[in-house]
Amino acid sequence: MSKPAIPSKQPTSRNLSVFAVLGLADKSDRDWSRLRGLQNAGLARLTFQRAFAHSLLAVFVARIYLDVVPAWMVLSWMAAVALLNIQSARLDRSFADTDKRKISPAEFNRQTFLAVLTGVFWAVPALVFAPYGSVEDFSALLMLVVLLIASSVFFYTAAPLSILILGFTVGAACIVQLAINELWLVMGATILFLIAAMFGTIHVGRTYLSARLSEQVIAEKEEVVSLLLREFEENEADWLWEIDPSRRLRSVSPRFAFALGEAQSEVQGRPIMELIAGQKWEEGQYDESLRALAECLKRQENFSNLLVKVTIKGAERWWELSGSPMRDHRGRFVGFRGVGSDKTEQRASSEKIAYLARYDTLTSLPNRLQLTEALGRALEDAEKWRTRCALMMVDLDRFKAVNDSLGHMTGDKLLAQVSARLQKLMGEGQLCGRLGGDEFAVVIEDASEKGMISDLARQIIDALSEPYQVEQHKLYVGASVGSAVGPRDGNSVEELMRNADLALYRAKDVGGGEHFAFEQELHANAEERRKLEVSLRSALGQDEFVLHYQPVVDAKSENIVSFEALVRWNSKDHGFVSPGKFIPLAEDTRLIVPIGRWVLYQACQEAMNWPDHIKVNVNVSPEQLLEPDFHLEVVQALTDSGLRPDRLEIEVTESIFVRDASIARAALEHAMALGCSIALDDFGTGYSSLGYIRELRFSTIKVDRLFVQGAAQGASESLAIINAVVAMAKSLDMTTTAEGVENSEEAALIRSLGCDKIQGFYFGRPMSKEEARRLFDASHARQRA
């Protein structure tokens, strides 16, 4: 297919000279006729207004001088003005199509001649009538002349040369009369007005001509776009659609007709809404998305990526439509044109992944995101109606022993039974969900009734403490509950969750199986946390941190492709501190920024001791990404270590999109520009990040261990999720890493599902840097052997 022609370079407002605006440039120039045509095309719309204004002002002049000037002179002058207006109107109307044709020099000269005659006839009152009247009569005439010139400047912008001729001729006549009457001050003011009017005429004329030039360029571009769109449809999966002002289809493309399930001839000229609404169109009960589309068409508004639910041949589909109103050269609406595509399959996958963002896959309970949203609404209602809401944090007792002794699969089945029991206890206005691990939460919308919280807490403890039958095992776990009442114990979601957590810690400290409500005394427990924070602040300076490395292997060859750097803290005051304990504390206190910087530097230095093809994965906190010089820290770490940027992969979690997403995205884009790759960790376990996956070019999506374990158990949901993530990643040219693989069966399953890389205890636990180096030494030894 031939390429559409690109418009040639056109004159712009910046290079329009005064002579070009006035039409006094070289008439042989190829742009002269085109510029005059653009100018004069608008005269036809102003013909009536111009003739009316001249006639009205002529009547006023006649009224001023009819009593002092011979009647035949005044009437003759009015008749001449009228005849001149008729001739000018005919000429103006002949210019109506000059935006599509060339204007000849003869037409331009005729227009200029009529402008001279107009100026001469309007100079007659000043030179001939004025001597008959008084100074007051001449002052009134002068005001009319000023009005004539000023209105011409602002409303007759299409013919600047005619305005200048009229203004100069009439103004000169007035100046002569003022000089005869020795009205020097008024004469000076008149001269200044004429100078200003002339400059204004040129300025307004240039602006008008520039606007017309822009309009023509836009029209030419629209024609090119139309051709490009046709070419686009022939080479892409999307299709084009176009409707007239009555919303009836026209220029139906074969691909669009196929999407409608009809032949081109059958849909041509039919209403688009009737075709895509199906039977519901006649019933008047169609989807809200179709109402939104109809409203955009009615208002003649642009719309982009509008997802609409359509019915084609009785089958419901999801289309994504974009459209823009079309207008002709006179600005009249002539219909809509746009592109569309079928998003039914993508919609189904998106809905599944969106579900994962709000629900826990193991228990099907609401996850942390949905719980925090519900708690936020409950707090708002409590403050509005002066009632109380509550948050209960539930943590299982002795669950870790089950996991350690019987494995995660048994532990997950136990969690599923726990969630079922918990759900049965929920009444109206109560929502339970899983925060993660063995921690659950309950949001109570209205907790005003006395004893409600303690009664429900006791029911939860008793129900969850009953024995569980998991396969051939009879298991016993308990539950501890901490609660906080809003807004008494906290005015925000974060504060209420923190205080409920403090109460839960108190219940766990006394041995579990208890419920504690938040009290101010519980802040004593926070003192321990404060001491831990003090130790954490000095840990970096006292060299108490160390990095361990967990291997990531290729799913097919099982060769090591990278190591994930994991920070460990051995405090001289507290001993070995779990990452799950000190990393959240570091996040809260922003100590994660210097700690993360240290991890980045150390990991890059150590990676230089590995083979050149091995990458290092470094976890980066959202707090680090909010630092304005984060990308400079990456540059410095790479420079000091000598590590190639392509060997550094930065791992982030979905939580980076919760706060200041734009800053985090900019930081990651800087890192990608350096050549580093970005991995999205714990995908699907936190916040929905589908929009950011589309915007940010992640290199890897890490499938959380919960999905891996669910798939190993044969859970269809987990299998569907992993398949969807793998398919999405491949379509976006990304790789996938499955986390938490603990045995050969899980590795084989993950490999069959199409994941590219695997990480887990089966291939190696986190190890010291010396142990990691020995892996390569052993590999080299085997190769030499």
Side-chain angles (χ1 to χ4, degrees):
M1 179 177 178
S2 61
K3 298 295 182 181
I6 304 301
S8 58
K9 185 178 179 181
Q10 308 291 356
T12 65
S13 58
R14 294 183 178 180
N15 58 25
L16 285 175
S17 66
V18 174
F19 291 103
V21 173
L22 297 179
L24 299 178
D26 184 7
K27 293 184 176 60
S28 62
D29 184 79
R30 65 186 180 91
D31 286 325
W32 182 90
S33 179
R34 177 172 161 273
L35 293 177
R36 302 291 74 75
L38 290 175
Q39 278 182 319
N40 291 294
L43 290 178
R45 296 195 300 269
L46 301 172
T47 298
F48 175 78
Q49 295 89 327
R50 176 173 173 271
F52 178 78
H54 277 246
S55 301
L56 184 62
L57 291 176
V59 170
F60 275 106
V61 172
R63 179 64 187 84
I64 294 171
Y65 289 107
L66 195 58
D67 294 335
V68 296
V69 177
W72 67 269
M73 293 178 63
V74 175
L75 294 176
S76 298
W77 175 79
M78 290 184 68
V81 170
L83 289 173
L84 192 58
N85 280 338
I86 293 172
Q87 290 297 320
S88 297
R90 289 178 177 174
L91 182 62
D92 289 349
R93 291 184 184 279
S94 69
F95 289 152
D97 60 345
T98 54
D99 57 343
K100 298 179 181 178
R101 66 175 178 87
K102 294 182 178 181
I103 188 172
S104 66
E107 289 176 308
F108 179 75
N109 293 337
R110 184 183 174 194
Q111 182 188 45
T112 304
F113 176 71
L114 288 176
V116 173
L117 285 181
T118 302
V120 170
F121 279 115
W122 273 102
V124 168
L127 294 175
V128 179
F129 297 169
Y132 287 92
S134 62
V135 174
E136 291 77 8
D137 293 336
F138 184 63
S139 298
L141 174 63
L142 192 61
M143 291 180 64
L144 293 176
V145 169
V146 169
L147 180 60
L148 174 66
I149 296 174
S151 61
S152 298
V153 171
F154 291 102
F155 299 107
Y156 201 57
T157 56
L161 181 60
S162 298
I163 299 172
L164 287 182
I165 293 172
L166 173 66
F168 178 80
T169 307
V170 180
C174 292
I175 291 171
V176 170
Q177 193 60 241
L178 288 170
I180 293 173
N181 289 278
E182 299 182 354
L183 297 173
W184 309 113
L185 185 61
V186 179
M187 184 181 74
T190 303
I191 293 173
L192 290 177
F193 168 75
L194 287 175
I195 294 172
M198 290 180 181
F199 279 104
T201 298
I202 295 172
H203 175 74
V204 173
R206 178 183 282 117
T207 302
Y208 174 80
L209 184 55
S210 299
R212 293 309 308 272
L213 280 169
S214 300
E215 289 174 3
Q216 188 184 53
V217 169
I218 291 173
E220 291 175 349
K221 288 183 177 179
E222 285 181 349
E223 184 178 354
V224 173
V225 167
S226 178
L227 293 173
L228 289 173
L229 286 174
R230 290 294 178 187
E231 182 178 342
F232 161 80
E233 188 186 37
E234 293 177 4
N235 294 281
E236 299 292 337
D238 295 0
W239 28 258
L240 303 173
W241 60 272
E242 186 175 323
I243 58 175
D244 61 18
S246 300
R247 306 182 195 175
R248 295 180 179 273
L249 289 174
R250 65 185 179 195
S251 303
V252 178
S253 65
R255 188 164 290 161
F256 186 31
F258 179 79
L260 291 169
E262 304 277 1
Q264 283 180 267
S265 58
E266 294 178 357
V267 297
Q268 188 78 20
R270 292 178 60 184
I272 185 173
M273 297 302 296
E274 178 181 338
L275 285 168
I276 64 178
Q279 186 66 29
K280 296 179 180 178
W281 175 259
E282 299 177 0
E283 300 171 359
Q285 299 177 348
Y286 39 90
D287 191 77
E288 283 298 323
S289 60
L290 286 176
R291 294 183 188 275
L293 173 62
E295 193 65 22
C296 289
L297 297 178
K298 177 182 177 182
R299 295 182 179 178
Q300 300 176 14
E301 295 176 342
N302 287 309
F303 56 91
S304 178
N305 301 328
L306 180 64
L307 200 62
V308 295
K309 188 177 183 180
V310 302
T311 304
I312 307 298
K313 296 293 186 180
E316 291 186 343
R317 311 287 297 177
W318 285 95
W319 285 2
E320 187 177 77
L321 299 176
S322 299
S324 299
M326 298 185 297
R327 303 188 184 277
D328 61 14
H329 67 284
R330 297 186 178 180
R332 294 177 302 187
F333 174 69
V334 294
F336 262 89
R337 175 188 291 155
V339 296
S341 58
D342 194 314
K343 298 292 183 180
T344 306
E345 294 181 2
Q346 294 91 324
R347 169 85 178 187
S349 299
S350 298
E351 287 178 348
K352 188 65 178 180
I353 299 178
Y355 172 86
L356 298 178
R358 301 180 63 80
Y359 288 89
D360 177 63
T361 55
L362 177 63
T363 63
S364 297
L365 292 178
N367 65 4
R368 180 181 294 270
L369 173 61
Q370 192 172 169
L371 285 170
T372 55
E373 289 177 349
L375 183 57
R377 291 191 297 269
L379 271 173
E380 291 177 0
D381 291 342
E383 292 177 352
K384 180 179 180 181
W385 302 110
R386 297 185 180 278
T387 58
R388 290 184 176 184
C389 65
L391 173 67
M392 304 175 70
M393 305 281 278
V394 182
D395 191 82
L396 298 183
D397 302 329
R398 301 179 299 278
F399 177 75
K400 186 176 184 297
V402 174
N403 255 355
D404 291 344
S405 60
L406 300 177
H408 290 295
M409 292 179 62
T410 302
D412 288 346
K413 292 178 181 179
L414 174 60
L415 288 175
Q417 293 189 30
V418 168
S419 65
R421 293 186 187 184
L422 196 57
Q423 262 188 315
K424 289 181 180 179
L425 298 174
M426 296 298 103
E428 184 179 356
Q430 298 172 353
L431 176 70
C432 67
R434 184 182 178 214
L435 296 176
D438 61 342
E439 191 172 10
F440 298 82
V442 177
V443 176
I444 304 175
E445 294 180 0
D446 187 357
S448 302
E449 183 179 340
K450 187 176 181 180
M452 171 190 285
I453 299 174
S454 58
D455 290 346
L456 180 58
R458 179 45 55 189
Q459 293 176 31
I460 291 173
I461 293 172
D462 292 343
L464 300 188
S465 299
E466 292 291 325
Y468 298 85
Q469 187 66 40
V470 180
E471 296 176 340
Q472 72 273 24
H473 305 288
K474 195 169 187 177
L475 305 176
Y476 293 86
V477 295
S480 301
V481 180
S483 64
V485 176
R488 184 192 69 188
D489 298 333
N491 293 316
S492 67
V493 170
E494 294 77 10
E495 189 176 2
L496 210 57
M497 294 187 76
R498 183 169 60 246
N499 290 340
D501 219 14
L502 286 175
L504 177 61
Y505 289 153
R506 175 70 180 276
K508 300 287 283 186
D509 286 344
V510 299
E514 296 291 339
H515 163 241
F516 273 90
F518 173 77
E519 300 173 354
Q520 291 300 323
E521 290 79 6
L522 291 179
H523 280 294
N525 295 334
E527 180 64 17
E528 179 186 357
R529 183 177 181 275
R530 187 193 65 81
K531 291 179 180 179
L532 195 65
E533 179 183 337
V534 171
S535 299
L536 188 61
R537 290 186 181 278
S538 60
L540 200 58
Q542 295 180 7
D543 200 23
E544 294 178 356
F545 289 115
V546 66
L547 286 186
H548 284 185
Y549 301 90
Q550 185 174 27
V552 180
V553 304
D554 182 89
K556 294 180 179 179
S557 66
E558 296 189 359
N559 292 327
I560 296 174
V561 294
S562 66
F563 279 95
E564 180 177 0
L566 302 168
V567 65
R568 299 292 184 259
W569 181 25
N570 190 9
S571 170
K572 68 175 185 179
D573 298 321
H574 306 280
F576 178 78
V577 184
S578 167
K581 191 172 185 180
F582 78 82
I583 288 181
L585 178 60
E587 293 272 3
D588 292 341
T589 57
R590 288 187 58 79
L591 289 172
I592 195 66
V593 175
I595 294 174
R597 186 184 304 119
W598 179 85
V599 170
L600 178 64
Y601 276 58
Q602 293 298 318
C604 289
Q605 292 283 354
E606 179 58 27
M608 291 298 294
N609 297 312
W610 306 337
D612 286 345
H613 66 282
I614 303 299
K615 288 187 176 184
V616 62
N617 301 3
V618 178
N619 292 281
V620 173
S621 162
E623 296 295 332
Q624 291 177 260
L625 295 178
L626 295 179
E627 292 293 303
D629 58 348
F630 171 74
H631 65 287
L632 298 179
E633 294 178 4
V634 175
V635 171
Q636 191 65 43
L638 294 172
T639 303
D640 291 350
S641 64
L643 187 70
R644 297 197 316 271
D646 63 297
R647 293 184 62 194
L648 173 61
E649 184 166 72
I650 296 173
E651 291 193 13
V652 296
T653 63
E654 295 174 302
S655 60
I656 66 170
F657 303 126
V658 178
R659 181 164 64 94
D660 296 323
S662 60
I663 298 177
R665 185 175 65 185
L668 293 177
E669 288 174 346
H670 278 303
M672 286 189 288
L674 295 173
C676 303
S677 53
I678 309 296
L680 181 60
D681 199 4
D682 297 337
F683 176 71
T685 62
Y687 301 87
S688 175
S689 57
L690 298 179
Y692 296 99
I693 288 178
R694 189 166 56 241
E695 295 177 17
L696 274 173
R697 299 301 300 172
F698 289 101
S699 61
T700 301
I701 297 178
K702 303 191 76 173
V703 180
D704 190 75
R705 60 180 293 271
L706 293 177
F707 303 145
V708 174
Q709 293 173 355
Q713 297 171 21
S716 58
E717 294 85 355
S718 295
L719 289 168
I721 290 163
I722 296 177
N723 279 322
V725 172
V726 170
M728 178 182 66
K730 287 183 178 179
S731 68
L732 296 175
D733 197 23
M734 302 176 187
T735 61
T736 48
T737 300
E739 297 181 300
V741 175
E742 298 183 355
N743 52 56
S744 58
E745 290 78 10
E746 291 180 358
L749 174 62
I750 290 303
R751 190 178 296 112
S752 68
L753 291 175
C755 285
D756 302 293
K757 293 173 284 187
I758 304 177
Q759 180 179 357
F761 288 175
Y762 177 65
F763 293 101
R765 293 175 177 269
M767 60 190 72
S768 66
K769 62 182 181 181
E770 291 80 10
E771 292 174 311
R773 292 181 191 177
R774 282 198 290 271
L775 290 180
F776 298 120
D777 294 339
S779 175
H780 292 159
R782 286 194 300 269
Q783 291 177 0
R784 287 194 297 271

